[in-house]
Every structure is written in structure tokens, then in C-alpha cells.
Amino acid sequence: MKFSKTLLAIIFALSASYAFAQTKTLILPKPTPVPPPGNIKLLADYIHERKQGIDSAIGEISKKGGLVIRYDIGAMAGNYAMGIEGREKQNLL
């Protein structure tokens, strides 16, 4: 009985110290910005953000409160639009 109370007290003390332990904040380096495609030179206040694509390069160029240009560059980028055009032509015939 005395052993179980001692064990319980040790577990409680370790739990309390773990709960109040300070954790270090991990500071990660800022990622290197990816330049816009095609050697585009951005105007002041415009930013380029690369997005995740499966088979093409996707991203956007934007300005806070302003214009947003989204792009999809790659070998398969236009195939979806061509597929829609083909289906529309079939329905018109």
C-alpha cells in the first residue's frame, strides 16, 4: 500500500513537472521565394506565390486589394479545356 502511494506521488510529480515545462519555440528559416515564371518582373507591391500542382506549374501573382493573376503552365494544362470544347462540338452536331 505504501509502495503504491509513493509510486502515485512520483507519477503525479513527473506529470506536473512535464505539464509546466517550458517548450522552446522552433524558429524555421523563411523559405526562399520562387521567382515568377518566364522571367516576369513584378511591379511594386505585387507578390508571386507558387501553388501545388500535379502535372503542371501552378501559381498566382497578386497585389493586396488589387489584381490577381492565376496561371497553370505545363504540358497537360490545356487538355481539360480542349476536352470541354470537344464535348460542346459533339452536342452541337
Side-chain angles (χ1 to χ4, degrees):
M1 185 73 167
K2 186 176 182 180
F3 177 72
S4 63
K5 286 183 182 180
T6 306
L7 182 60
L8 184 61
I10 291 172
I11 292 172
F12 178 74
L14 290 174
S15 298
S17 65
Y18 180 74
F20 293 109
Q22 292 183 354
T23 58
K24 289 185 177 181
T25 303
L26 182 61
I27 300 174
L28 298 174
K30 291 185 178 181
T32 305
V34 178
N39 294 324
I40 295 173
K41 304 293 182 210
L42 298 179
L43 296 173
D45 299 329
Y46 279 86
I47 59 167
H48 172 250
E49 186 177 354
R50 185 78 181 259
K51 303 289 185 176
Q52 180 66 40
I54 296 172
D55 61 354
S56 58
I58 298 172
E60 67 181 34
I61 298 168
S62 62
K63 179 179 180 179
K64 186 174 182 177
L67 181 68
V68 177
I69 302 169
R70 293 183 178 93
Y71 64 86
D72 185 355
I73 303 170
M76 302 296 287
N79 286 350
Y80 181 76
M82 291 173 64
I84 291 173
E85 180 183 12
R87 287 189 296 274
E88 287 176 352
K89 284 181 181 178
Q90 289 175 355
N91 290 335
L92 293 175
L93 296 177

